[in-house]
Amino acid sequence: MEQKSHVKETPLISHLGCVSYVDHDQAVVFTGDTLLIRGCGRTDFQEGSPERLYNSVYQQIFSLPDHYTVYPAHDYKGFTASTVGEEKRYNPRLTKGKDEFTTIMNNLNLPYPKKIDESLPANKVCGLQDLPDHLKF
């Protein structure tokens, strides 16, 4: 039986836990923070890697058919969706080659997020850190 939906590993910040959800019946991909509309996730903190992000997008997301709708985790400009084909053509960072993309990402000079050192470790364990023993898996 053909798989209709699945999870693709799309690491950007860390090698663990970053995924995109693909539903082939609906021709959609939920990309989390990896691929945004005309942008992508940050790679400048906690195990981030522009090369890993670039490879993730090209191997796991841009390999999908162009008509698949892309739903990112959030957007700062009011967009709610795009398509794989649109992002291949118009994403200002990801239309570059890997070397140029890496240079861009390494020189964004964005402010360090205030709570990221607390948030990312919690995200890696789904917010389930410091649980009482009776609730641990």
Side-chain angles (χ1 to χ4, degrees), residues 17-135:
C18 297
V19 297
S20 292
Y21 297 95
V22 181
D23 184 321
H24 294 288
D25 284 344
Q26 300 296 315
V28 299
V29 56
F30 299 90
T31 58
D33 288 333
T34 301
L35 178 63
L36 307 176
I37 299 171
R38 309 300 189 265
C40 60
R42 291 178 63 167
T43 60
D44 58 330
F45 48 81
Q46 290 196 348
E47 304 173 29
S49 167
E51 297 86 358
R52 187 171 30 227
L53 172 58
Y54 189 91
N55 290 338
S56 293
V57 170
Y58 272 85
Q59 293 169 8
Q60 302 297 332
I61 300 170
F62 282 2
S63 62
L64 295 168
D66 283 353
H67 71 279
Y68 273 43
T69 303
V70 172
Y71 292 103
H74 53 85
D75 183 79
Y76 299 109
K77 297 180 182 172
F79 299 112
T80 57
S82 182
T83 67
V84 169
E86 285 179 31
E87 294 309 312
K88 284 180 182 178
R89 286 188 297 280
Y90 303 120
N91 191 301
R93 295 179 189 160
L94 289 161
T95 54
K96 313 293 187 219
K98 189 192 299 187
D99 289 341
E100 187 175 357
F101 173 81
T102 299
T103 299
I104 291 167
M105 296 303 289
N106 284 336
N107 291 288
L108 291 176
N109 299 317
L110 298 170
Y112 195 76
K114 292 177 185 167
K115 300 237 178 206
I116 200 70
D117 290 328
E118 300 162 18
S119 300
L120 279 181
N123 285 347
K124 285 183 177 182
V125 294
C126 298
L128 299 175
Q129 78 280 8
D130 302 325
L131 290 174
D133 286 338
H134 71 282
L135 293 177

